[in-house]
Amino acid sequence: MTIVTNNMADARAPRLLIDLNNIFRKDPNIDEYDILPVVEATHNRSPFFVENHKLGVEAWAVKLLVKYCANRLIGWRGQNSSEKCLDPVEVSHLSRAVLLFNPDNYTAWNIRKELIESGYLSIKDDLSFGVLIISKHPKSPETFIHRRWLFQQLLDHCLSSSSGSNSSSCSNVPGPNMEVTATVESIDLDLNEPTETGFFNGAFSLEASRLLKTQTHLELDVCATAAERYPCNYHAWSHRIWIVKYCLNCSLQILLKELKSTEKWTSTHISDHSGFHYRQFLLTEIHARNDRFSSLHSQNSTDLFVKEMVFVRDLIDTYPGHEALWYHRRFVFQSLLRPEHLELSARCCHLHPRNGHAPACNEVDQNFKTIKSFLAAQEIESVTTKEASCSHKYNQMYCKKFVQWIQNSFL
């Protein structure tokens, strides 16, 4: 077994960084990477392997590389005499090496923010780098936070340069953690047809608007890929919500398209709470735009909630015993009991009519409390009937909890 001293390790680390930089220079289109289970250097050649834009890194090299690059970054940040004159390009390479294997190092991300603000690093390239990291670490919170910061820079520029914007709108650009409720209606952009854009050099390029348009639509795919790679990926779905809210301004066309596209996804990921939470966000936003939705379609938002109830009931019947489905059913049922939905809900035969038919309007007390009680009783009757015919232990348990929730909340 080869024994490597600290001095030998330190001597090899700079060479590892050079090798890694050369690989990215020769193949800038690397789209995936992974760590190979090689714990000792058994040959005298590079521990990096590239095949079809896929990068493999031998495990023994990771520790040496990350320690060396992190120490140099800390020295540069602390203005140590040996590191304070580092070239910005080298600082970018050091941060890249650290983040590839430790993506939640917020210091390295902050350094890259400074490089972008100084114009030494491209936002477009940093977005591509983030996609590469997500391919290996799809649930990295710091990576998604940094991506929101990058999009915020684009929004800042578009808001300030748009002919319809003003100083107040520019000061209310949403933060990367979704705590600000600003919109970007004043951005003069057509976000429905993405186009290719040139190299984006710095945060204030004139290409910002076109880059925002292109990257925003690509970002929805990035979120979908991350959610596919890691189940219940809260960070990916929250980021997707942020993109839809602030970069796409909750466009009704986008909301409906997302609702349609995620129907298939959730029906094949029935235990993923985050996916159903995203559908709840979409339904809520569509309902907030009900007047426009009704004017463009021969239905209103209540019809979507009714359709969603049918959808989740069918999933429960097909895949019994999944808690996420039952919690989503709670959301949909509670939404249908809102005053704006209530009368149509009472007339809708899809909501488990008693004895095969729903009561006529003149047979139902128009008092909201009476209608709620009627619908709650119908829902209890439906789920208890299903429970009697279903032998799945966990589904029976969720049925009982659902019935108790209805009784405590609406009866």
Side-chain angles (χ1 to χ4, degrees), residues 296-362:
L296 296 175
H297 302 81
S298 58
Q299 55 182 340
N300 59 34
S301 61
T302 305
D303 296 300
L304 293 182
F305 280 97
V306 171
K307 181 180 178 182
E308 191 72 7
M309 176 61 85
V310 176
F311 173 61
V312 71
R313 285 172 51 214
D314 289 343
L315 288 179
I316 290 174
D317 292 344
T318 307
Y319 306 103
H322 292 272
E323 187 178 30
L325 297 176
W326 284 97
Y327 276 106
H328 187 57
R329 184 170 183 167
R330 288 192 187 194
F331 165 81
V332 178
F333 183 72
Q334 189 169 27
S335 297
L336 284 169
L337 294 189
R338 293 173 183 168
E340 59 268 31
H341 297 307
L342 207 52
E343 291 187 37
L344 181 58
S345 299
R347 296 196 301 268
C348 183
C349 62
H350 292 293
L351 286 178
H352 325 304
R354 188 190 303 262
N355 298 325
H357 68 280
C361 290
N362 57 3

Side-chain angles (χ1 to χ4, degrees), residues 5 66 91 113 275 387:
T5 65
V66 171
V91 173
K113 289 181 176 69
E387 179 185 358

